[in-house]
Amino acid sequence: MRARDERSRLASTGLHTALVGASVIAVFPVAWVLLTSLKTDRDTWARPGELGTLGLGNYGQVLGDTQFLTWFGNSLLIATGTTLIGVLISATAGYAASRMRFPGQRPLMWLFLVTQMFPAAVLIVPLYNVLSDLGLLNSYAGLILAQCTIAVPYCAWMLKGYFDTIPVSIDEAGRIDGLTPFGTFWRLIVPLARPGISVTVFYAFITAWGEVAFASVFMQSEDRYSLPVGMATFVSDFKAEWGLLTAGSVLVMVPAAVVFFLVQRHLVAGLTAGGVKS
């Protein structure tokens, strides 16, 4: 019994030590960026061991002397549009693949999976040509549609698997009550699939919020830049505004954190459980 208790204490100590170490590794980069954003003395950037003078001057300069707020609004519009359109398409596609039988059903889902295997850089040229032919270059609509090509395949696969866990008897009950297929989907299935949809909402928003490759190519004027592209102008071959870059990076974290806290309750449920437990 004593040996077992000693092993239990040793295992508990090792587990907590590993968790503390993992937490430090995860938090350290964020803490370092936050600390750097508070340094107002540029000389201290080259000497990481020195704190120097701390203040909010970098934040004031980012918000007042750059187009950060314009880029912030652009990113918010693009991420929100990508989330709404991408999740709607993914949910309807996933529901159709889960409940309906039609020619090309399996190839469609495999096509979604295959498109996820291609890096974004491979898709830039064909998407550029398509958007150019449609007159959607340097437009929010064009970038939203381009980013949906990243969000939709993964979200459709995830929701298809989640819809499979919801009993088909619920659809049959809806049809008996006179609901159309879309009415059954919208009024019965969507509320039950809220945890799974929350996961895809979070994924689509974060993907669009931090996307750089498409935004840097398809948005050609500075007033249309998204946050990652705009903030990249703070550091170049001729200048290095690390204070502005780190201050902007801290501000960029806020919307992602807000979305996470809004969906976290459903996020955990969506990752760990099905839609209905029988």
Side-chain angles (χ1 to χ4, degrees):
M1 182 66 68
R2 181 178 302 175
R4 182 179 300 176
D5 292 340
E6 291 177 355
R7 286 197 300 269
S8 299
R9 286 195 296 269
L10 183 61
S12 178
T13 302
L15 176 61
H16 284 81
T17 301
L19 291 175
V20 170
S23 300
V24 170
I25 293 174
V27 172
F28 178 77
V30 179
W32 190 268
V33 169
L34 177 60
L35 178 61
T36 304
S37 70
L38 296 173
K39 292 182 177 181
T40 56
D41 186 359
R42 297 190 177 189
D43 294 336
T44 58
W45 296 343
R47 300 189 298 273
E50 298 181 14
L51 288 178
T53 304
L54 302 181
L56 299 177
N58 292 323
Y59 292 91
Q61 189 174 352
V62 164
L63 296 175
D65 299 338
T66 69
Q67 296 192 57
F68 181 86
L69 293 178
T70 300
W71 302 333
F72 187 94
N74 293 342
S75 285
L76 192 61
L77 174 62
I78 293 166
T80 302
T82 302
T83 301
L84 293 177
I85 296 175
V87 172
L88 178 61
I89 295 174
S90 302
T92 52
Y95 178 73
S98 175
R99 291 295 195 268
M100 302 177 184
R101 299 294 177 265
F102 53 88
Q105 176 190 10
R106 291 181 63 84
L108 174 65
M109 298 308 297
W110 281 110
L111 183 62
F112 280 156
L113 184 61
V114 169
T115 56
Q116 284 292 97
M117 300 179 183
F118 290 97
V122 177
L123 303 176
I124 288 179
V125 173
L127 285 175
Y128 185 94
N129 293 332
V130 171
L131 295 180
S132 178
D133 293 340
L134 296 175
L136 293 177
L137 286 177
N138 200 38
S139 69
Y140 301 122
L143 185 55
I144 288 172
L145 293 176
Q147 293 188 354
C148 281
T149 62
I150 301 176
V152 167
Y154 176 79
C155 293
W157 259 99
M158 179 177 291
L159 288 176
K160 192 267 183 187
Y162 199 91
F163 289 141
D164 286 343
T165 67
I166 300 177
V168 180
S169 58
I170 294 178
D171 302 66
E172 297 171 349
R175 287 194 292 270
I176 292 174
D177 290 340
L179 292 176
T180 63
F182 183 79
T184 301
F185 164 74
W186 186 255
R187 297 180 62 180
L188 300 181
I189 304 301
V190 168
L192 293 174
R194 188 176 300 170
I197 292 175
S198 297
V199 175
T200 59
V201 165
F202 182 70
Y203 172 80
F205 184 88
I206 294 300
T207 299
W209 184 254
E211 199 279 326
V212 178
F214 290 166
S216 62
V217 175
F218 301 151
M219 306 305 270
Q220 301 167 345
S221 56
E222 190 171 353
D223 62 330
R224 295 294 182 96
Y225 284 172
S226 62
L227 272 175
V229 179
M231 289 169 54
T233 61
F234 294 155
V235 178
S236 66
D237 294 336
F238 306 102
K239 65 177 181 178
E241 298 288 349
W242 296 112
L244 301 183
L245 181 63
T246 53
S249 300
V250 173
L251 295 174
V252 165
M253 299 177 194
V254 175
V258 170
V259 172
F260 174 77
F261 283 116
L262 288 176
V263 303
Q264 67 171 340
R265 180 168 62 88
H266 298 301
L267 192 64
V268 174
L271 293 172
T272 58
V276 174
K277 291 188 174 90
S278 56

